[in-house]
Amino acid sequence: MDPVSQLASAGTFRVLKEPLAFLRALELLFAIFAFATCGGYSGGLRLSVDCVNKTDSNLSIDIAFAYPFRLHQVTFEVPTCEGKEREKLALIGDSSSSAEFFVTVAVFAFLYSLAATVVYIFFQNKYRENNRGPLIDFIVTVVFSFLWLVGSSAWAKGLSDVKVATDPKEVLLLMTACKQSSNKCMAVHSPVMSSLNTSVVFGFLNFILWAGNIWFVFKETGWHSSGQRYLSDPMEKHSSSYNQGGYNQDSYGSGGGYSQQASLGPSSDEFGQQPGGPASFTNQI
């Protein structure tokens, strides 16, 4: 049997049905979607400048941009509608820091989810034989939850800046020729941002997955088991003291209420003295 088959036979893939491993597998998949939709993006827009002098016009000005969205480095030439002179412009803004941070978090989350899933499947016994594995898993899960929240929020703001900077109306305002009413400037087509919008959605979905998985990882740690023992000990002490207290059904039945009920009735001696009363009265007569 080859080593791959041995690993497959040794691994218990049924663990993927448990919430801990199932959520890890989802995190693995969603991390791929997050960095693929953001890191693999490339788009552009097209503008046209129709000058009064048609020979100076340019009806197809293409402006391309891509990840990591250093827009201030994206340059393009446009006509000035003053002869053959051209002006060189650049887009405004730089969203590279938020985009690169988002993709970095997604890549490392993918790598950790892959490693954790392999450990859950093939090394479950070693993972649970001491508390170190679950504790490391718990701490890393909390950290990645925080990173996903920060990274997704930062990238959402960065994407908003990218949309403003690449808006054809905003780009046309940068051109000198478009400030003259005699020239006609218009947008041929706008950039498509659907994949970038999807990346933000996957970012927040990853945060929800990682934050929800904190509880299931916490249940594997010794902190959860020690907390359960701490809650169960006072309950056991309370029940034992209750059984040893004053309320005991056997003692109540044997020496309690029933003996008191017997003392309430008249004794046999008292009943025996009652006939003696009329006899002594007759003797006196």
Side-chain angles (χ1 to χ4, degrees):
M1 184 180 293
D2 59 310
V4 177
S5 301
Q6 290 179 354
L7 284 176
S9 61
T12 48
F13 288 93
R14 288 177 299 178
V15 75
L16 292 175
K17 297 180 180 180
E18 299 179 0
L20 178 62
F22 179 72
L23 288 177
R24 279 284 183 258
L26 286 181
E27 291 165 1
L28 173 69
L29 186 64
F30 278 41
I32 296 175
F33 291 150
F35 70 72
T37 52
C38 179
Y41 178 83
S42 62
L45 63 154
R46 178 174 294 176
L47 307 174
S48 68
V49 178
D50 189 8
C51 303
V52 176
N53 187 0
K54 302 299 181 181
T55 58
D56 298 335
S57 301
N58 189 346
L59 303 181
S60 180
I61 304 173
D62 293 319
I63 305 173
F65 59 95
Y67 174 84
F69 307 104
R70 295 186 177 93
L71 301 180
H72 64 285
Q73 297 179 359
V74 178
T75 59
F76 54 96
E77 292 185 352
V78 296
T80 60
C81 294
E82 298 177 357
K84 298 297 182 181
E85 186 179 354
R86 295 287 186 270
E87 66 174 341
K88 190 174 183 178
L89 300 175
L91 297 177
I92 300 175
D94 183 6
S95 299
S96 60
S97 59
S98 59
E100 290 175 342
F101 180 76
F102 179 82
V103 171
T104 301
V105 171
V107 170
F108 279 102
F110 162 75
L111 294 176
Y112 181 79
S113 299
L114 178 61
T117 304
V118 171
V119 170
Y120 295 159
I121 295 175
F122 298 107
F123 307 101
Q124 185 67 232
N125 294 331
K126 292 184 179 180
Y127 173 79
R128 291 180 174 175
E129 71 180 3
N130 54 43
N131 200 32
R132 182 178 299 176
L135 281 180
I136 295 175
D137 197 14
F138 175 74
I139 294 173
V140 174
T141 303
V142 173
V143 171
F144 268 109
S145 300
F146 176 74
L147 291 178
W148 273 118
L149 178 61
V150 174
S152 300
S153 301
W155 171 229
K157 177 61 172 62
L159 177 58
S160 177
D161 295 338
V162 170
K163 289 180 178 180
V164 173
T166 57
D167 186 0
K169 294 180 180 179
E170 297 293 330
V171 178
L172 290 175
L173 294 177
L174 301 175
M175 302 180 185
T176 304
C178 297
K179 297 177 181 179
Q180 302 175 8
S181 58
S182 58
N183 301 320
K184 296 180 181 179
C185 300
M186 59 182 299
V188 178
H189 70 75
S190 302
V192 179
M193 300 285 187
S194 57
S195 64
L196 296 181
N197 294 331
T198 305
S199 68
V200 175
V201 173
F202 277 115
F204 284 106
L205 286 177
N206 273 287
F207 163 69
I208 294 174
L209 284 176
W210 283 82
N213 206 13
I214 291 176
W215 167 246
F216 297 105
V217 180
F218 176 73
K219 289 174 65 176
E220 301 293 330
T221 64
W223 296 336
H224 180 261
S225 57
S226 62
Q228 285 185 333
R229 288 196 300 268
Y230 176 78
L231 291 176
S232 62
D233 289 344
M235 294 179 64
E236 292 176 356
K237 291 180 180 178
H238 179 70
S239 61
S240 61
S241 62
Y242 182 77
N243 292 330
Q244 294 175 0
Y247 181 79
N248 194 320
Q249 292 182 354
D250 296 335
S251 62
Y252 180 82
S254 61
Y258 291 112
S259 61
Q260 293 177 0
Q261 183 178 0
S263 64
L264 292 177
S267 62
S268 59
D269 295 338
E270 293 175 351
F271 279 106
Q273 292 176 358
Q274 286 181 359
S280 59
F281 179 75
T282 305
N283 293 330
Q284 291 178 0
I285 296 175

